[in-house]
Amino acid sequence: MNEPQGAHRLHASLQPAAGDHSENAYRKRPGEILDRFERGGHADKVDLLTGKITPEGHAVPPGERAKQAELNRQWLKAERERLQAGKGEPLAYAIADAESGVKQDALDRYLKTQGKFGSANEQDLKAKAAAAQEYAAKLAAEYYEAGGGSREAAENAATPASRLTPAASFGRGDFLPTTKTDMDARGWEQCDFVLVSGDAYVDHPSFANAVIGRVLEWAGFKVGILSQPDYTNPEAFKALGKPRLAFLVSAGNLDSNLNAYTAHKLPRSDDPYSPGGRPGKRPVRATIVYCNMLRRAFGKTPIIVGGIEASQRRFSHYDYWDDKVRRSVLLDSNADMLVFGMGETQIVELAHRLNRGEQLKEITDVRGTAYVKKDADYLESPEFTERFGKPVYTLDHENLLPPREAAGGRQEAAVSPASRLTTPASLDRVQEHQTDDPNQVAAYRKNYAVAFKTIFDQQDPVRGRPVIQRTGKLSVIQLPPARLQSEEELDRWYDLPYTRLPHPDYEKHGVPAWLTTQHSIITHRGCMGSCTFCAIWMHQGRTIQSRSPESIEKEAASITHMPSFKGYISDVGGPTANMYGNYCSVQQTLGACKNRDCLLPDPCPALRQHLDKQLDMLKRVRAVPGVKKAFIASGIRHDMLIDEKTNKGLGDAYIENLAAYHTSGHLKVAPEHLSDGVLARMRKPGLHKYEEFKQRFIEASKKVGKEQYLVAYFVSSHPGCTMDEQIRLAEYFKRNNWSPEQVQDFIPTPMTPATAMFYSGFDPETLEFVYTPTTMREKRRQRALMQFSRPEFHGRVRKALREAGRKDLIGHHKDALVKPGNEEDWDDDNPARPAGIGAGPKTLKKRNNPYRGKKPRGRGSKPAGKSRRRR
């Protein structure tokens, strides 16, 4: 190992066994001083100011503490001046181009296409930035008016350059290093790990890069954060130098494609995880781009990828934005290893084993990881199968692709008649044509559903086995998910010394995502629900892992000390708030049931809802001094609360408590749809359970003297939803005088059962054919029907109703969805426009319309001699 000169690697001798991160593993030896700086942490300020320790972390005898305290104060002052001197100095990076000698390759060409279709106009961005600054100024002004600072500071806070973070008690030294200057202030010559992230650096437990960074710091390693580097320039990735052990790469809290584009493939107007909400700070497919840039800059330095983007793309996956099946992100990124799931236990074990001298490519036995090998025969060895079980092979990547044309027009492999229905050039472009018949589905697309089911069945930490997928001569190998974490472990991760603030570099603009999460508390992980459109149960699992009430109470107390806190905790919950403390003995011992849903058609009798434990936890949070209200904003699973068999008869008590103390006037629930057939494909309960819960909640609100409402979420164009089903839902809204604002158009994200249905046309669980709205025209019409009352959708709704044979819903009678008028579907009027790219009818001015007066060409055009006009 290459140890930094003059730095004794204390954690190397403190860790007796790889993967053991219990408290006993970090006990110092007799007579040995535990140097906190060498461990990558900070000396406690109270201990420094009272002279109990030196800046190096050494203990001071009682008789010398007064003298040492004065020396420590001088040292702290000098350190602050040093940090301030280096603050805000931008590094001059050269632009990579042909003149500089940097070779232009496929990556360069790809990067040049980023932003090709534009994003929000400058006026929209300025309006969003002004709103964010106005809110920031309000927070700061209220803080200073309450005695938190001077009037001069309050006046400065009202300016456009106001500080979003009024907490002056935290400085750069309280965050993980982001520059060489920060490293120098800590006396570091080299980081052990450099974490490259597509998100801005917010030191809060809701942000993945902060959690992984703090966990590694706790484990005794030096960690630097490289947030949103210039992805067009390899030199930007050298800001913190080469790490001693490895680079850690994550696209951020969201998939970078999902972060950049809407369900209709339109560029999003903002990025809540970037400073000021401004888009364009990260590339699309950030994991691939970052890794390739690191390879350019540092060659064969070990790279470990993780986060939701890499985790959900570890096998061959359908990519909605490319409209095709892509191979594993491990192959495209050229990373050495992938950590999937939440990642704390895996990264700690990997860190200690790398520190011990093992090579990353030789580490093949860490649960919750995936990697690429040429030879996978060792997986069949008795030693390996005894630990992880006999490996399972899923279909090869090539079996999920359309057959290629061989010389002379012959196809390389035998294909079914259905495969010959379309031309080879568009075989895998499911968004270009609507499939209504299972005989129209090519065999390779059905293979995708089969392959997904094989992978899906092994994603349980108890019964899961290794999964192998061959791609050419290489094999992508995924080991079983990481073991379940105990209550003590979860408490440890959330009790780490987060500042709960954005990095000081963002003080002028702030990070919008932090505004909504700064006063929130995560109580548990996992979800017993099995919604097919959701990635949580593939990322966190179906088994609930909860924190202790004491840890949650402690975090609530820490929130009350934030200067921006006004007495209101915005959310106390998790993926589903009312699953806190839930337990199933079967899941803990045998794993989640393979062919049995935990909640459908009714909650499983083996499920134990510990609503009493959650009620007690919420009561303790409300009792924390300074807390006026603690809301539940993360949503609840309403069907569980009305099931008396598993909730110990506490359902009504929980609903009443919810109405009295934890609702801000509106409570989020997600019935998703009306049709039992569509809900069955979603794996969601019937609408009658929502209606029953709604009645109970309204009665409970009246009982506590409040008038409160439910905010219901619905999904349009989900697999299984035909136009007739969507019209039925629109009629339901009309009968109930309901105009839903919370509508989400289904987005096929990688590694979810619904995405497998979208691409393959078959339910991977049953292999039944599923009608799925795949074309952009069908998706837009279904969304318009859900919001039929909005004038901008009237023309599209009329056209959809007429083509569906439901002209009876167009008129002036009480049951009509829209009044008679013009039909308009702007996507139909411009067939040459790429799906999802461009603006709608409001911004498509006649004088700027390139299609006006021209005969349309390409898919969907009419024969020559016939003009195409708006109707």
Side-chain angles (χ1 to χ4, degrees), residues 18-68:
D20 179 11
H21 51 267
S22 62
E23 294 180 4
N24 292 334
Y26 290 92
R27 286 181 177 173
K28 63 184 181 68
R29 296 172 180 175
E32 199 172 35
I33 296 297
L34 184 60
D35 191 326
R36 307 183 196 193
F37 286 146
E38 287 300 326
R39 292 280 309 281
H42 301 281
D44 185 75
K45 288 185 178 180
V46 176
D47 290 347
L48 282 171
L49 294 175
T50 55
K52 292 181 180 180
I53 61 173
T54 67
E56 291 77 26
H58 298 292
V60 178
E64 300 178 10
R65 289 179 180 176
K67 181 180 178 180
Q68 185 63 45

Side-chain angles (χ1 to χ4, degrees), residues 143-165:
Y143 167 62
Y144 289 112
E145 288 177 3
S150 64
R151 171 54 57 183
E152 181 181 358
E155 292 174 355
N156 292 336
T159 66
S162 62
R163 289 185 56 175
L164 189 62
T165 305

Side-chain angles (χ1 to χ4, degrees), residues 393-635:
Y393 288 81
T394 188
L395 291 175
D396 296 353
H397 173 73
E398 288 73 18
N399 289 334
L400 313 180
L401 302 177
R404 293 179 297 179
E405 288 280 335
R410 295 178 294 101
Q411 292 181 325
E412 291 185 353
V415 294
S416 66
S419 299
R420 303 188 182 95
L421 294 176
T422 54
T423 60
S426 63
L427 272 174
D428 59 343
R429 305 294 179 177
V430 300
Q431 297 174 34
E432 294 186 3
H433 47 82
Q434 188 65 49
T435 303
D436 304 317
D437 188 331
N439 294 322
Q440 297 176 329
V441 180
Y444 68 89
R445 283 175 55 189
K446 188 173 183 179
N447 286 346
Y448 186 87
V450 176
F452 176 84
K453 180 68 165 81
T454 304
I455 296 169
F456 184 79
D457 284 345
Q458 305 306 322
Q459 304 307 313
D460 184 86
V462 178
R463 59 170 172 77
R465 295 188 286 168
V467 181
I468 303 173
Q469 184 178 55
R470 292 193 177 96
T471 304
K473 297 181 179 180
L474 300 175
S475 295
V476 176
I477 301 167
Q478 178 213 280
L479 296 186
R483 60 175 176 78
L484 298 172
Q485 298 195 53
S486 66
E487 185 179 86
E488 291 75 14
E489 283 181 299
L490 280 185
D491 288 351
R492 182 185 295 131
W493 308 144
Y494 287 97
D495 288 347
L496 294 174
Y498 305 99
T499 64
R500 303 186 70 87
L501 298 170
H503 192 273
D505 284 349
Y506 313 132
E507 60 185 0
K508 289 186 178 180
H509 304 289
V511 181
W514 171 77
L515 288 174
T516 58
T517 60
Q518 58 177 319
H519 302 143
S520 64
I521 301 175
I522 298 173
T523 60
H524 63 282
R525 295 176 178 176
C527 183
M528 287 181 164
S530 52
C531 306
T532 58
F533 50 80
C534 182
I536 286 179
W537 63 329
M538 289 287 284
H539 193 66
Q540 295 187 358
R542 290 168 61 184
T543 304
I544 304 301
Q545 303 165 76
S546 302
R547 296 169 61 187
S548 69
E550 292 77 17
S551 174
I552 296 169
E553 184 180 9
K554 180 180 177 181
E555 185 173 353
S558 70
I559 291 175
T560 63
H561 297 297
M562 296 178 67
S564 59
F565 184 67
K566 304 301 177 185
Y568 302 96
I569 294 179
S570 59
D571 184 29
V572 182
T576 304
N578 59 306
M579 289 187 185
Y580 173 80
N582 284 4
Y583 180 84
C584 174
S585 59
V586 176
Q587 288 184 344
Q588 298 287 339
T589 56
L590 301 177
C593 298
K594 188 175 180 179
N595 298 312
R596 173 75 164 86
D597 194 284
C598 296
L599 302 178
L600 295 177
D602 295 302
C604 176
L607 169 64
R608 295 294 178 265
Q609 294 191 58
H610 290 289
L611 295 180
D612 51 346
K613 183 178 180 180
Q614 186 178 9
L615 289 171
D616 177 68
M617 179 269 291
L618 292 172
K619 183 178 179 180
R620 295 174 66 165
V621 171
R622 295 197 306 268
V624 171
V627 174
K628 300 176 183 177
K629 283 279 188 179
F631 298 119
I632 291 179
S634 50

Side-chain angles (χ1 to χ4, degrees), residues 233-247:
N233 182 10
E235 293 298 314
F237 292 79
K238 299 179 180 179
L240 295 178
K242 180 180 178 180
R244 186 174 66 91
L245 298 177
F247 279 104

Side-chain angles (χ1 to χ4, degrees), residues 100-118:
S100 64
V102 178
K103 183 179 179 180
Q104 298 286 325
D105 59 8
L107 180 62
D108 291 311
R109 294 193 297 273
Y110 169 75
L111 291 173
K112 288 180 180 179
T113 67
Q114 300 302 300
K116 177 181 178 181
F117 302 113

